[in-house]
Coordinates of all heavy atoms in Angstrom, one line a residue:
D12 N 21.5 2.2 3.7 CA 20.5 3.0 3.1 C 20.4 2.8 1.6 O 21.4 2.8 0.9 CB 20.9 4.5 3.3 CG 19.8 5.5 2.9 OD1 18.8 5.1 2.3 OD2 19.9 6.7 3.3
L13 N 19.2 2.5 1.1 CA 19.0 2.2 -0.3 C 18.6 3.4 -1.1 O 18.0 3.2 -2.2 CB 18.1 1.0 -0.5 CG 18.5 -0.3 0.1 CD1 17.4 -1.4 -0.1 CD2 19.8 -0.8 -0.5
T14 N 18.8 4.6 -0.6 CA 18.4 5.8 -1.4 C 19.1 5.8 -2.8 O 20.3 5.5 -2.9 CB 18.8 7.1 -0.6 OG1 18.1 7.1 0.6 CG2 18.5 8.3 -1.4
F98 N 11.2 -1.2 -5.7 CA 10.8 -0.5 -4.5 C 9.6 0.4 -4.6 O 8.7 0.5 -3.8 CB 12.0 0.1 -3.7 CG 12.9 -0.9 -3.2 CD1 14.2 -1.0 -3.7 CD2 12.6 -1.7 -2.1 CE1 15.1 -1.9 -3.2 CE2 13.5 -2.6 -1.6 CZ 14.8 -2.7 -2.2
G99 N 9.7 1.2 -5.7 CA 8.7 2.3 -5.9 C 7.3 1.7 -6.2 O 6.3 2.4 -6.0
V101 N 6.2 -1.3 -4.7 CA 5.8 -2.2 -3.6 C 4.6 -1.5 -2.9 O 4.8 -0.3 -2.5 CB 6.9 -2.5 -2.6 CG1 6.4 -3.2 -1.4 CG2 8.1 -3.2 -3.3
P102 N 3.5 -2.1 -2.7 CA 2.3 -1.5 -2.0 C 2.7 -0.9 -0.7 O 3.6 -1.5 0.0 CB 1.3 -2.6 -1.9 CG 1.7 -3.6 -3.0 CD 3.2 -3.5 -3.1
P103 N 2.1 0.2 -0.3 CA 2.6 0.9 1.0 C 2.3 0.1 2.2 O 2.9 0.4 3.3 CB 1.7 2.2 1.0 CG 0.6 2.0 0.0 CD 1.1 1.0 -1.0
N104 N 1.4 -0.9 2.2 CA 1.2 -1.7 3.4 C 2.3 -2.7 3.7 O 2.3 -3.3 4.8 CB -0.2 -2.4 3.3 CG -0.3 -3.3 2.1 OD1 0.0 -3.0 1.0 ND2 -0.7 -4.5 2.4
I105 N 3.2 -2.9 2.7 CA 4.3 -3.8 2.9 C 5.4 -3.1 3.6 O 5.9 -2.1 3.1 CB 4.8 -4.4 1.6 CG1 3.7 -5.2 0.8 CG2 6.0 -5.3 1.8 CD1 3.1 -6.3 1.6
T106 N 5.8 -3.5 4.8 CA 6.7 -2.8 5.6 C 8.1 -3.4 5.6 O 9.1 -2.7 6.0 CB 6.3 -2.7 7.1 OG1 6.0 -4.1 7.6 CG2 5.0 -1.9 7.2
A107 N 8.2 -4.6 5.2 CA 9.5 -5.3 5.1 C 9.4 -6.5 4.1 O 8.3 -7.0 3.9 CB 10.0 -5.7 6.5
A161 N 14.9 -6.3 3.7 CA 14.6 -4.9 3.2 C 13.6 -4.4 4.1 O 12.5 -5.0 4.3 CB 14.2 -4.9 1.8
I162 N 13.8 -3.2 4.7 CA 12.9 -2.6 5.7 C 12.5 -1.2 5.1 O 13.4 -0.4 4.8 CB 13.6 -2.4 7.0 CG1 14.2 -3.8 7.5 CG2 12.7 -1.8 8.1 CD1 15.4 -3.6 8.4
R163 N 11.2 -1.0 5.1 CA 10.7 0.4 4.7 C 10.9 1.3 5.8 O 10.6 1.1 6.9 CB 9.2 0.3 4.3 CG 8.7 1.6 3.7 CD 7.2 1.6 3.5 NE 6.7 0.6 2.6 CZ 6.5 0.8 1.3 NH1 6.9 1.9 0.7 NH2 6.0 -0.2 0.5
E164 N 11.5 2.5 5.5 CA 11.8 3.5 6.4 C 11.3 4.9 5.9 O 12.0 5.4 5.0 CB 13.3 3.5 6.8 CG 13.5 4.1 8.2 CD 14.9 3.8 8.7 OE1 15.8 4.6 8.3 OE2 15.1 2.8 9.4
G165 N 10.2 5.3 6.3 CA 9.6 6.5 5.7 C 9.3 6.3 4.2 O 8.7 5.3 3.8
A166 N 9.9 7.2 3.4 CA 9.7 7.0 1.9 C 10.7 6.1 1.3 O 10.6 5.9 0.1 CB 9.7 8.4 1.3
G167 N 11.7 5.7 2.0 CA 12.8 4.9 1.5 C 12.9 3.5 2.1 O 12.0 3.1 2.8
W168 N 14.0 2.8 1.7 CA 14.2 1.5 2.2 C 15.6 1.3 2.7 O 16.5 2.0 2.2 CB 14.0 0.5 1.0 CG 12.5 0.3 0.6 CD1 11.8 1.1 -0.2 CD2 11.7 -0.7 1.0 NE1 10.5 0.7 -0.3 CE2 10.4 -0.5 0.4 CE3 11.8 -1.9 1.8 CZ2 9.3 -1.3 0.6 CZ3 10.7 -2.7 2.0 CH2 9.5 -2.4 1.4
K169 N 15.8 0.4 3.6 CA 17.2 0.0 4.0 C 17.3 -1.5 3.9 O 16.3 -2.2 3.9 CB 17.4 0.4 5.5 CG 17.5 1.9 5.7 CD 18.0 2.3 7.0 CE 18.3 3.8 7.0 NZ 19.1 4.2 8.1
L170 N 18.5 -2.0 3.8 CA 18.7 -3.4 3.6 C 19.7 -3.9 4.7 O 20.8 -3.3 4.8 CB 19.3 -3.8 2.2 CG 19.4 -5.3 2.0 CD1 18.0 -5.9 1.8 CD2 20.3 -5.6 0.8

Side-chain angles (χ1 to χ4, degrees):
D12 188 349
L13 297 180
T14 299
F98 291 111
V101 173
N104 60 311
I105 302 300
T106 56
I162 305 152
R163 188 187 296 270
E164 203 166 89
W168 289 81
K169 291 194 172 195
L170 186 74

